[in-house]
Amino acid sequence: MIQFTQPLALLLLIPALAWTGWLAWRSDAFLTPWRRWTSTIIRLVVVLLLVAGVAGLQWKHPMEGMNIFFLLDRSDSVPPTQQEFARETANRWAKGKHKEDKAGFLVFGSEAALETEAATAADAEKIQAVVGTERTDLSAALRLGSAAFPENGQKRIVLLSDGNENVGDAQQAVVHARSQGVTVDVMPIGTRHGGDVAIQKLTLPSTTKKGATFEAKLVATSDSHRAARISLFRNDQLLGQQDVTLEPGKNLFTFPQKLTDAGFYGYQVQIDAPGDEISQNNKASGFTTVRGKPRLLLVSSSPAEDNNLAVALRTEYEVKLGGLGDIPGTLAEMQSFDAIFLLNVPAGDLGLNTMRLLESGVRDFGLGLVCVGGDNAFAAGGYRNTPLEEALPVDMELSSKKVLPSGALALVMHGMEFMNGNQVSRDIAIGALQALGPQDQMGVLLWDGTERWLFQMQKLTDKPRLASIIAGMNQGDLPAFDGLMQKAYEGLLKCDASLKHIIVFSDGDPSAPQNSLLGKIVDARITISTVMIGSHVAPDTMIKMAELGHGRFYDVKSAAQLPQIFIKEASIILKSAISEEPFVPQLAQETELIRGIGATYPMLRGYVATTAKPRAEVPLVTGKGDPLLAHWQFGLGRSVAFTSDAKSKWAQDWMGWGRYAQFWTQIASWVSRRVDASDFNTEVSVDNGEGIIGVEALDSQGNFRNFLNLQSVVVNPKGERSTISLRQTGPGRYEGHFPTREVGAYLLNLMELRNGNLVASQVVGASVNYSPEFNTAEPNISLLQRLAELGGGHLLSPEKDNPFLLGRQKTYQPRDLWEALLRCLVILFLFDVGVRRIDFDRDEWSAWWAKIRVKLGLGSRPVTVESEEGMAALLARKQEVRTATTRVVTDPDEAAPLPDLFASAPKSDDRGTKSPDGSTPAGGERKTTDENPGSDVTDRLLAAKRKARKKR
């Protein structure tokens, strides 16, 4: 069978053939008829082949065999027993296939992964691929399955799922697969859960006034009439329980609440019913914030030492002083404070997640942030290249004009014996590299068959080059610590850094270094910290090295702990940024923070060196010109940096200063959240993996407010930020949508913008209490039937049907013929040139054909025999002509007749016969006369010329 990929190109065939024929008829080339017709036919064939090539001529080669991909649903909505049943059914079907058939396996949940490619030997004994189970994305599985088929053979997808899709569009994916020649069969799986009870949502106002009454609204669903018990919690404390009766469908319950103290309140609700088999959908949570007196949170590494600052601020604010455990764990909890003070808190103790929350709280929700210094803050606390540095008005990198003592860090890297261990090691080393400053020094040691430096101790002036070297690091299983520790000691000994530190990353297997070596390291004022990762031995060696090296030991159980650890350890050598020389603060410019305080300030005994960012304002500087007090606007919020401390170590003279309380109160007043309350009625709901924010905008007279510019910042439970624009859907009605793939609290800051400026805002939130996998308790048969109809397939029965035996069709593999057509075109073109340019008469063709026959063994070679009489006659005639010519030249007066030059050996024709002596026999007559011997030949030539002209 043949086909054309571009059939419309065939419309060119008729005009192309007509043009070729017309050109051949109008040609003035002098060709014999057979040559003309041969050339014309060749050219018509060339045109035909050329048009066929342009039209995409293909040969459909028949193929045998069927290819099937089994798509196995591994989401939470499918019970494990049903998942195993689907795998066994697919394996049983694969065993019943034909020899030439192929089968492959693909698993899916929130994403899809290929378990095995299509192969003749197909068997999924155990599922190895890992996918997320909190969502069902049928479309991802269908798209991946359609793309994974081999090129040849019939293509079929068998979907084994409960059809509870909550991400993507499976119907559109099936339509796309059908366009690629893929059919889709479906086998429903999943167990029907009778008597399921679920909580749809818990609704609370995002903010409320102190002492005002509000309602906590609970919506629960049930598929039958039954009794249940509802338990209500607030901040993890049980408020009470209530026995209720559930009707089939939705049930609404309300709980009146009254809060008399300002703060953040988290509510949880739980419903229990006898016989309910799905417990995951029986809980829900929400939160509300009570506004009152402005609240400040002071987080200190030593709260008792910072109590004086808390007392000074309590004159104007409600202050909570606490340690690291009092930092809010979510953005929603942070909304109960107007500003957060970090008092000499190192970045390693905060952790990356908390720093990301603080950055988002300031930028996206207007939270105030104040960082107060100390020996564990700013550059000395490892703030460099962290989210906290992004939010602050100062940079941890010092300008080239500032010369401070440098630190030196040596990393001893041992191969990590856990999944992706060496990549984690590379990330650790690169993180340490980025945390250090350009004036610091760093080197990396490893064992990869030999003990060597990956790169020796050097200043970090070219971090990209060193990072690329680390990216290629591939360390092995170190046998002993002695060699690398000796090299680290020798390398650090040559450094002129004021602080020197070694960090050893290992699983604790290598033999311990000699005590004498550790003694030399300590005597050289080099400290040692050890990090044991994924160990299967006792930590004695690692603990000993850290204790003797005056460092710290970390027993890491998860790679997720490592970023926080390396920040804390790298900060040890960053103490060089501390300056402990007494100085008197200098006024650089007057800003709102210090207005009214004056130009004279008490002495301070130390600070951490930083560099002000370009947009920052710096009202106070140190004696060396470094920033002491800096502030700026960061997104919707503000942040302040005070590089000295607020306690007795560096600020003992300030604590007795009469304007101490005023100074800090003005800072708190400037940095605190500005509450621009809006009059919007806002609701946030979650439906089928998507969040919907609806806003009703009214003015004070109750009139609709139209054509507003409303935007909302959305922060998901992972701290990921996105911005959405709300569109107007009706009079005073606005709506926006955002994805809700993660389980947890979503915080939204609704903003009204006018001429690019923020004029009002409102913080609202919503919670995804459980995965939508548990929204329904039975398979979605209607969707599965629709997918089978769109895919040209069937709903399969595991006992009766085998997809390898149903609807088998012969398939064809198209093969392009353009290359063969091109070769034919070249050959025919050469033939056409030969026919038109080379003239072979009949005798030559006959001789050529005779030679071919001889070579093929089909004839004998012709023999030419020359008679002696004929040769003698030719020689005599030649001599006669030569004699006559000589006579004419020597005696021109003699009227001897010229011989007949056109006569040859005696011959006869139908007009007479000439005798050998030149006489004409009776009955014949001479055509020519002596006066005009060549007239007959001339006449014939002229006649042929006239005939050719006439024909032309």
Side-chain angles (χ1 to χ4, degrees), residues 520-563:
K520 289 193 300 182
I521 293 174
V522 173
D523 292 341
R525 301 183 66 184
I526 300 172
T527 55
I528 304 172
S529 289
T530 58
V531 182
M532 191 164 77
I533 308 173
S535 177
H536 46 80
V537 299
D540 299 344
T541 298
M542 302 289 282
I543 293 174
K544 172 186 174 183
M545 293 168 63
E547 289 179 348
L548 294 179
H550 303 295
R552 287 177 285 198
F553 164 73
Y554 302 92
D555 188 4
V556 177
K557 301 300 183 183
S558 169
Q561 298 174 255
L562 290 170

Side-chain angles (χ1 to χ4, degrees), residues 739-800:
T740 56
R741 296 180 66 93
E742 308 296 332
V743 175
Y746 289 78
L747 208 63
L748 297 87
N749 189 12
L750 178 64
M751 301 174 291
E752 179 186 355
L753 303 177
R754 190 178 303 158
N755 298 324
N757 298 318
L758 178 67
V759 296
S761 66
Q762 184 181 41
V763 177
V764 293
S767 293
V768 178
N769 300 300
Y770 51 85
S771 169
E773 290 292 297
F774 305 106
N775 283 340
T776 56
E778 60 185 23
N780 190 346
I781 300 297
S782 60
L783 175 61
L784 295 176
Q785 288 177 334
R786 180 59 178 160
L787 296 180
E789 292 173 1
L790 290 174
H794 309 84
L795 280 177
L796 301 178
S797 169
E799 295 82 12
K800 300 179 181 179

Side-chain angles (χ1 to χ4, degrees), residues 73 75 77-78 135-138 161-167 189-191 688 772-781 783-784:
D73 191 343
S75 63
S77 60
V78 180
R135 294 287 191 277
T136 300
D137 192 349
L138 298 177
S161 172
D162 61 357
N164 288 323
E165 179 186 39
N166 42 57
V167 177
I189 59 175
T191 303
N688 197 26
E773 290 292 297
F774 305 106
N775 283 340
T776 56
E778 60 185 23
N780 190 346
I781 300 297
L783 175 61
L784 295 176

